[in-house]
Every structure is written in C-alpha cells, then in structure tokens.
Amino acid sequence: MALNLRKISRSAFQVQHVAKKHFSLSSRVSTKASELFSEEQNRQRDRVGRIEKIEVRYLGLPQDTTLVMNRELSTPYDCARHIGEKYCQQSALALLDNKTPWDMRRPLRDSCTLQLLNFTSPEPHIANKVFWRSCSFLLGAVLQSSFKPTAGLHLHSFPTPNIKSGSFVHDIVLAQEHWSPTVPELRALSIEMIKLSQKDLPIERLDVDSELAVEMFHDNPFKREQIPSVASKNNGQITVYRVGDHVDISKGPMMGSTGLLGRCTISAAHPIKEANEDGKYFYRMQGVALPSALRIHHFAYAILENRSRKLNSAKLPNEPFEDAVAEQVA
C-alpha cells in the first residue's frame, strides 16, 4: 500500500518543462488571480486623477540629487531609471526618510528622501530579510506550477523571514500523505527557481480590499480563512504580490525583480504531522539561496545547503491562527 501511495505522489509531481495540459488547472487559477490584480491595479491608477508633483531627494551614489516625480504614480524604480540603469538592476528595495522600507515598484505617496538598498550594502540586514521573504514567495510560484491538480496542492503561508534559521520556508498542503521528494525532484524545483530568476520578472505589490482578496483566492480555503484576520490588522486591506501570473498574500516588502535571485537550492520537505486534518497533509518546504550579486566557494555553499535541510523552527501553520497570523503571512 505504501508503494501505491508513493506512485501516486510521483505522478502528482512534475516540473514546468512538461506539457502545459498536464497542469492546466493551476494555470487557470493563477491567471484568474492575475487578471483581477491587473484590473484593480489599473483602477487604482485611473483613480489618481489630476497628477500632482512631489520632490524626492535621492541620497547616494553617484551623487545626491532632487527628482520631481508624480504622486501615487512614480515608484523608486522610476527614480532609479533617472539615476542610472545599474541602479535599476542592483537595487533590492528603497528606504524612505531613512526609516521606511519600500518596494521598488510601489508608488510614492509624498515628498521624501530616498535611498536605494542592495545586497552589498555595509548594513544589509533590511535587504537580507526582504531577500529571504522574496525567496519564500517565489518558491510558492514554483510549487504552484510544479504539481498536477491530482496532488491537491494549496499554498498555506510562509513565516516571517529569519536569516539565522538557515532556510527560507513555504508551508503547503497536499491531498496525499507520505510524500517524500527524491533528490532529483528537489533539484528540479531548484532549477525552476533559477529559471524564474533568469526571466528577470518584476515583483509587483498591490493593496486590495478583503472582498477582492476573497475572489482572488476563491480556490484556496486556507487563504480565505486568513483574510479576515489580516484585514483587521491592516485597516481592512490585504497586501498581495504578483510575479508572472502568480499572486499571493504577504505584508512585504519584496525585492524588485526575480533577477536578483542567484544560486538557489530547494533542500527539504518536512511533513508537519500535527497539522494534518481531514485528508489534508501539511509539508514545510525549505531552501537556501544567495543574491545574484554574491558569490561564495562551492564548499561554503554546501555547508549552507546542509544547514538548510534541518527543520526550520518558525511557527507552524497549526499553531493558534490569531497569534501566528502576523508571522505566518510574512
């Protein structure tokens, strides 16, 4: 019987290079959420009305400068384009008024000072947390497109990033018990992460009301359950992110594009037996990665890989939701 379960699990898993018809359901779900994202994004842009100007005081190399930008339309990425192309490519996120981390593609609301942060900054702790969170988000995108509908995959959540833990995390739910991915299957997921990086796709943020969020995640009962609690802590709003056609909930911020992801390994899948319920089986997917700007010796990276396989001790999805929601929806 165990052998049959194993065969079912293998048939439910497949990587993106296999013909699309084999996982068209996931594609339709992602496309619907993405279409709603685009419609709301366009609606919010149209709502801006008369364009007002703001002053953005850029602080950094090659020199401090003042930019005149459009309120609620211009983003830090737009500012970076005025400064130089390499700042668009290298900047992971922005820091406003020396205190507020801000997504590179999130419209600016008021006049402010602006710093562009990257992964080689002398104080990289903010950028590092953003990188870890972004890796969890991108892993969700890869998982969503790598399982056939028969697997019953639902993305649950990913905890607040903790660099010291040694791994980024995405908790998922499958319809099958005893799934244990082989080394080649984990390697295939790692390859899909690298492919996503090579596409250099923008990572976009949008704040939506809870009614639209429920529509976006109508197929995912776990996301629907999380939405009321998240909205109650965020003035009735849900922050969602999109990469390609994949949309997920996160408080952010995220890095500006997938091209900032460098070396990456999806290293482990741990069953979370205490969270299982009514034919739904929880797994904690884990990985380790480096920003594209950083290079280390393969021996040192192997140490990081081995460390990332240890079960991450972040809050589990079965822990009290009200207490854990701030961390679970990272």
Side-chain angles (χ1 to χ4, degrees), residues 6 84-85 88 192 195 208 265 272:
R6 189 174 181 85
E85 184 63 27
C88 297
E192 293 305 306
K195 287 181 179 178
V208 305
T265 303
I272 309 174

mmCIF file with all atom_site columns, all heavy atoms in Angstrom, residues 6 84-85 88 192 195 208 265 272:
data_model
loop_
_atom_site.group_PDB
_atom_site.id
_atom_site.type_symbol
_atom_site.label_atom_id
_atom_site.label_alt_id
_atom_site.label_comp_id
_atom_site.label_asym_id
_atom_site.label_entity_id
_atom_site.label_seq_id
_atom_site.pdbx_PDB_ins_code
_atom_site.Cartn_x
_atom_site.Cartn_y
_atom_site.Cartn_z
_atom_site.occupancy
_atom_site.B_iso_or_equiv
_atom_site.pdbx_formal_charge
_atom_site.auth_seq_id
_atom_site.auth_comp_id
_atom_site.auth_asym_id
_atom_site.auth_atom_id
_atom_site.pdbx_PDB_model_num
ATOM 1  N N   . ARG A 1 6   ? 3.235  6.048  -2.854  1.00 0.00 ? 6   ARG A N   1
ATOM 2  C CA  . ARG A 1 6   ? 4.442  6.664  -3.393  1.00 0.00 ? 6   ARG A CA  1
ATOM 3  C C   . ARG A 1 6   ? 4.293  6.904  -4.898  1.00 0.00 ? 6   ARG A C   1
ATOM 4  O O   . ARG A 1 6   ? 4.663  7.945  -5.424  1.00 0.00 ? 6   ARG A O   1
ATOM 5  C CB  . ARG A 1 6   ? 5.641  5.764  -3.111  1.00 0.00 ? 6   ARG A CB  1
ATOM 6  C CG  . ARG A 1 6   ? 6.987  6.406  -3.440  1.00 0.00 ? 6   ARG A CG  1
ATOM 7  C CD  . ARG A 1 6   ? 8.111  5.486  -2.997  1.00 0.00 ? 6   ARG A CD  1
ATOM 8  N NE  . ARG A 1 6   ? 9.396  6.080  -3.274  1.00 0.00 ? 6   ARG A NE  1
ATOM 9  C CZ  . ARG A 1 6   ? 10.032 6.915  -2.502  1.00 0.00 ? 6   ARG A CZ  1
ATOM 10 N NH1 . ARG A 1 6   ? 9.461  7.315  -1.379  1.00 0.00 ? 6   ARG A NH1 1
ATOM 11 N NH2 . ARG A 1 6   ? 11.220 7.396  -2.816  1.00 0.00 ? 6   ARG A NH2 1
ATOM 12 N N   . GLY A 1 84  ? 20.446 55.977 -13.083 1.00 0.00 ? 84  GLY A N   1
ATOM 13 C CA  . GLY A 1 84  ? 21.320 55.140 -13.895 1.00 0.00 ? 84  GLY A CA  1
ATOM 14 C C   . GLY A 1 84  ? 20.783 53.725 -13.989 1.00 0.00 ? 84  GLY A C   1
ATOM 15 O O   . GLY A 1 84  ? 20.201 53.205 -13.025 1.00 0.00 ? 84  GLY A O   1
ATOM 16 N N   . GLU A 1 85  ? 20.995 53.087 -15.135 1.00 0.00 ? 85  GLU A N   1
ATOM 17 C CA  . GLU A 1 85  ? 20.435 51.761 -15.375 1.00 0.00 ? 85  GLU A CA  1
ATOM 18 C C   . GLU A 1 85  ? 20.893 50.742 -14.348 1.00 0.00 ? 85  GLU A C   1
ATOM 19 O O   . GLU A 1 85  ? 20.129 49.866 -13.930 1.00 0.00 ? 85  GLU A O   1
ATOM 20 C CB  . GLU A 1 85  ? 20.797 51.288 -16.787 1.00 0.00 ? 85  GLU A CB  1
ATOM 21 C CG  . GLU A 1 85  ? 20.173 49.958 -17.181 1.00 0.00 ? 85  GLU A CG  1
ATOM 22 C CD  . GLU A 1 85  ? 18.665 49.989 -17.220 1.00 0.00 ? 85  GLU A CD  1
ATOM 23 O OE1 . GLU A 1 85  ? 18.094 51.078 -17.443 1.00 0.00 ? 85  GLU A OE1 1
ATOM 24 O OE2 . GLU A 1 85  ? 18.053 48.923 -17.011 1.00 0.00 ? 85  GLU A OE2 1
ATOM 25 N N   . CYS A 1 88  ? 18.758 50.427 -11.332 1.00 0.00 ? 88  CYS A N   1
ATOM 26 C CA  . CYS A 1 88  ? 17.533 49.648 -11.543 1.00 0.00 ? 88  CYS A CA  1
ATOM 27 C C   . CYS A 1 88  ? 17.810 48.163 -11.368 1.00 0.00 ? 88  CYS A C   1
ATOM 28 O O   . CYS A 1 88  ? 17.014 47.425 -10.780 1.00 0.00 ? 88  CYS A O   1
ATOM 29 C CB  . CYS A 1 88  ? 16.984 49.896 -12.949 1.00 0.00 ? 88  CYS A CB  1
ATOM 30 S SG  . CYS A 1 88  ? 16.494 51.579 -13.292 1.00 0.00 ? 88  CYS A SG  1
ATOM 31 N N   . GLU A 1 192 ? 13.790 25.187 -11.419 1.00 0.00 ? 192 GLU A N   1
ATOM 32 C CA  . GLU A 1 192 ? 12.679 26.083 -11.742 1.00 0.00 ? 192 GLU A CA  1
ATOM 33 C C   . GLU A 1 192 ? 12.848 27.443 -11.082 1.00 0.00 ? 192 GLU A C   1
ATOM 34 O O   . GLU A 1 192 ? 12.460 28.474 -11.650 1.00 0.00 ? 192 GLU A O   1
ATOM 35 C CB  . GLU A 1 192 ? 11.360 25.438 -11.325 1.00 0.00 ? 192 GLU A CB  1
ATOM 36 C CG  . GLU A 1 192 ? 10.992 24.199 -12.115 1.00 0.00 ? 192 GLU A CG  1
ATOM 37 C CD  . GLU A 1 192 ? 10.968 24.442 -13.615 1.00 0.00 ? 192 GLU A CD  1
ATOM 38 O OE1 . GLU A 1 192 ? 10.266 25.379 -14.046 1.00 0.00 ? 192 GLU A OE1 1
ATOM 39 O OE2 . GLU A 1 192 ? 11.657 23.709 -14.346 1.00 0.00 ? 192 GLU A OE2 1
ATOM 40 N N   . LYS A 1 195 ? 15.287 29.260 -13.270 1.00 0.00 ? 195 LYS A N   1
ATOM 41 C CA  . LYS A 1 195 ? 14.621 29.702 -14.498 1.00 0.00 ? 195 LYS A CA  1
ATOM 42 C C   . LYS A 1 195 ? 13.803 30.964 -14.249 1.00 0.00 ? 195 LYS A C   1
ATOM 43 O O   . LYS A 1 195 ? 13.768 31.879 -15.080 1.00 0.00 ? 195 LYS A O   1
ATOM 44 C CB  . LYS A 1 195 ? 13.710 28.595 -15.038 1.00 0.00 ? 195 LYS A CB  1
ATOM 45 C CG  . LYS A 1 195 ? 14.438 27.416 -15.667 1.00 0.00 ? 195 LYS A CG  1
ATOM 46 C CD  . LYS A 1 195 ? 13.435 26.402 -16.177 1.00 0.00 ? 195 LYS A CD  1
ATOM 47 C CE  . LYS A 1 195 ? 14.122 25.212 -16.826 1.00 0.00 ? 195 LYS A CE  1
ATOM 48 N NZ  . LYS A 1 195 ? 13.139 24.192 -17.290 1.00 0.00 ? 195 LYS A NZ  1
ATOM 49 N N   . VAL A 1 208 ? -5.433 45.610 -1.694  1.00 0.00 ? 208 VAL A N   1
ATOM 50 C CA  . VAL A 1 208 ? -6.804 45.403 -2.149  1.00 0.00 ? 208 VAL A CA  1
ATOM 51 C C   . VAL A 1 208 ? -7.722 45.230 -0.948  1.00 0.00 ? 208 VAL A C   1
ATOM 52 O O   . VAL A 1 208 ? -7.268 44.951 0.165   1.00 0.00 ? 208 VAL A O   1
ATOM 53 C CB  . VAL A 1 208 ? -6.907 44.175 -3.077  1.00 0.00 ? 208 VAL A CB  1
ATOM 54 C CG1 . VAL A 1 208 ? -5.931 44.305 -4.245  1.00 0.00 ? 208 VAL A CG1 1
ATOM 55 C CG2 . VAL A 1 208 ? -6.622 42.877 -2.306  1.00 0.00 ? 208 VAL A CG2 1
ATOM 56 N N   . THR A 1 265 ? 18.886 26.546 -3.849  1.00 0.00 ? 265 THR A N   1
ATOM 57 C CA  . THR A 1 265 ? 18.660 25.115 -3.642  1.00 0.00 ? 265 THR A CA  1
ATOM 58 C C   . THR A 1 265 ? 17.388 24.907 -2.828  1.00 0.00 ? 265 THR A C   1
ATOM 59 O O   . THR A 1 265 ? 17.252 25.461 -1.740  1.00 0.00 ? 265 THR A O   1
ATOM 60 C CB  . THR A 1 265 ? 19.834 24.472 -2.880  1.00 0.00 ? 265 THR A CB  1
ATOM 61 O OG1 . THR A 1 265 ? 21.052 24.687 -3.586  1.00 0.00 ? 265 THR A OG1 1
ATOM 62 C CG2 . THR A 1 265 ? 19.602 22.976 -2.693  1.00 0.00 ? 265 THR A CG2 1
ATOM 63 N N   . ILE A 1 272 ? 4.482  17.944 8.389   1.00 0.00 ? 272 ILE A N   1
ATOM 64 C CA  . ILE A 1 272 ? 4.061  18.547 9.657   1.00 0.00 ? 272 ILE A CA  1
ATOM 65 C C   . ILE A 1 272 ? 2.842  17.772 10.133  1.00 0.00 ? 272 ILE A C   1
ATOM 66 O O   . ILE A 1 272 ? 1.696  18.186 9.936   1.00 0.00 ? 272 ILE A O   1
ATOM 67 C CB  . ILE A 1 272 ? 3.749  20.046 9.484   1.00 0.00 ? 272 ILE A CB  1
ATOM 68 C CG1 . ILE A 1 272 ? 4.909  20.757 8.788   1.00 0.00 ? 272 ILE A CG1 1
ATOM 69 C CG2 . ILE A 1 272 ? 3.491  20.706 10.844  1.00 0.00 ? 272 ILE A CG2 1
ATOM 70 C CD1 . ILE A 1 272 ? 4.619  22.203 8.456   1.00 0.00 ? 272 ILE A CD1 1
#
